[in-house]
Amino acid sequence: MDENFKKFKRRVWLEILIKCIVCGLAAAFIAVNAVLVPCKLFGIKLLWLFYILIALGGFAVGGGIAFVILRTDDKKIAKRLDSELKLEERVQTAYMFGGHGGAMLDLQRGNASAELGKLSVKALPFKNVAATVLCGVVALTGVIAAPIAAKFVPPVYAANNNNEPPDEPKRPVTDWEWAALDELINYVRASKKADTVTKTGMLLELEGLRSVLADGVSQSSLFTFVQNTVSNIRNVVKDANGRDISEDQKTLNSEEEAYVINKIYEIFSLQKPDGEGDGDSSDPSGGEEDPDNPEGPGGDSGWELDVNDVPFYDPDKGYVKVGEIREEYYQRVQAAFEEGTISREEWEYIIVTYFADLSNKE
């Protein structure tokens, strides 16, 4: 076939390509929304890359199906040109006898080419306009619906059908509880009954509980955090008593353990779990004044230890008082934690080891 036929052939294939693209886009956004909406309803989060892959898969499937349905060949194009351009089968006849020679056939082919040459490709109407427009509307709707669904569709199904209880409000810690907890921490810090390893471990657990409470916990989770603190304190004392120390010191460590645990339950008005003894929340000294550990927290004998005036050797400043250097050292430690040059676990190990060495030297 000559150039006049080929220009109409290119026009037909361009039309098919447009239809395939529009159908592919419609299928792509249908697939994306079909996955996005259920995921939002169920509270499932997918990486954006998955939605791109879903869109590409939908485009390939939709466009591929459209191409299989709409694909054509020269014979069908010739028939369409005769039908829609009213050429009275000139083009079909020229196509059928394209490989044959003869004056009459040459004349007929020349006539068909001349008729096509007189017509513009715009004279060939666009087939299936309504279906193409409908697919375009579907694709445009999908483009608009996808970001709206991503932003505004709430996880209704997941919220209404899970078995998890709703979030509880934070339990306020009263001023009395803060004061009592701080008093217990100061008591452990000043006590001389437990050895250094036991005291350091207890302090770490109590400070950890205080940090958790500062972040805020619900009423139901408070008991869990307290129980974890109690269990960790028991493990601290168990490990400390597993060392090669005297039986008297082991007894003192255990007495401090019982006292601290009882006070924790008492401070937060929590009932001990079944299986735990009631213990004795009174002073572990048994009511007798201990000159090394005067009264318990809340006593009036001035048991608190003021370390601000304790001498301390600083490599840069020489001998100074702890109160003058404490804040600066605290900031250095915090900076080291934030920079990652030392972990909290490494720092705690250093402190425990240091005080254990001091205790052994004594």
Side-chain angles (χ1 to χ4, degrees), residues 6 19 28 47-48 58 63 66-67 100 110 116 152 167 173 193 204 224 236 257 266 269 291 295 301 317 322 326 329:
K6 289 180 180 179
K19 292 176 182 177
L47 188 66
W48 59 268
F67 178 78
H100 298 77
L116 289 174
F152 295 106
D167 291 339
V173 180
K193 293 190 67 174
L204 291 175
T224 301
V236 165
E257 170 197 336
E266 178 185 316
S269 302
E295 298 189 4
S301 61
K317 301 180 180 181
V322 169
R326 179 170 54 187
Y329 269 58

Side-chain angles (χ1 to χ4, degrees), residues 87-293:
L87 295 177
E88 299 176 350
E89 298 187 354
R90 287 186 177 90
V91 182
Q92 292 181 76
T93 302
Y95 173 78
M96 291 177 61
F97 295 99
H100 298 77
M104 290 298 295
L105 292 176
D106 291 340
L107 182 62
Q108 192 277 332
R109 284 192 290 269
N111 177 260
S113 178
E115 291 295 328
L116 289 174
K118 295 177 184 179
L119 300 171
S120 169
V121 291
K122 296 180 180 179
L124 187 66
F126 196 99
K127 293 184 67 175
N128 308 116
V129 176
T132 305
V133 171
L134 178 61
C135 289
V137 171
V138 172
L140 181 61
T141 303
V143 171
I144 297 172
I148 293 176
K151 187 171 184 179
F152 295 106
V153 174
V156 177
Y157 187 89
N160 293 337
N161 291 274
N162 57 24
N163 294 323
E164 297 179 0
D167 291 339
E168 294 183 50
K170 300 294 184 182
R171 176 194 182 278
V173 180
T174 65
D175 293 340
W176 182 88
E177 289 173 335
W178 281 127
L181 182 57
D182 288 339
E183 195 174 21
L184 180 60
I185 291 173
N186 289 330
Y187 164 76
V188 174
R189 185 178 289 117
S191 173
K192 293 185 178 180
K193 293 190 67 174
D195 61 14
T196 305
V197 174
T198 303
K199 284 175 53 177
T200 304
M202 286 184 175
L203 285 173
L204 291 175
E205 297 303 327
L206 292 173
E207 292 285 1
L209 177 61
R210 197 186 194 288
S211 299
V212 169
L213 295 176
D215 292 337
V217 297
S218 64
Q219 178 63 47
S220 61
S221 60
L222 173 64
F223 182 77
T224 301
F225 286 114
V226 169
Q227 268 303 104
N228 289 339
T229 302
V230 168
S231 298
N232 292 338
I233 288 176
R234 286 201 174 100
N235 291 332
V236 165
V237 176
K238 180 180 179 182
D239 293 340
N241 288 347
R243 297 175 301 129
D244 185 15
I245 58 177
S246 66
E247 292 299 322
D248 290 341
Q249 185 60 61
K250 291 180 181 180
T251 301
L252 293 174
N253 289 344
S254 299
E255 289 178 357
E256 287 289 80
E257 170 197 336
Y259 175 75
V260 170
I261 290 175
N262 286 335
K263 291 299 292 184
I264 292 175
Y265 284 121
E266 178 185 316
I267 289 171
F268 299 104
S269 302
L270 296 176
Q271 187 70 31
K272 284 188 177 183
D274 294 338
E276 289 193 15
D278 293 335
D280 183 6
S281 61
S282 61
D283 192 321
S285 63
E288 299 178 2
E289 183 174 347
D290 184 353
D292 292 332
N293 187 28

Side-chain angles (χ1 to χ4, degrees), residues 32-74:
V32 169
N33 284 283
V35 175
L36 176 61
V37 173
C39 285
K40 291 292 291 183
L41 291 175
F42 281 88
I44 300 173
K45 294 182 179 180
L46 292 181
L47 188 66
W48 59 268
L49 181 59
F50 285 103
Y51 290 108
I52 293 179
L53 295 176
I54 291 169
L56 291 176
F59 181 84
V61 172
I65 292 174
F67 178 78
V68 171
I69 295 174
L70 299 174
R71 63 182 176 175
T72 187
D73 53 27
D74 289 352

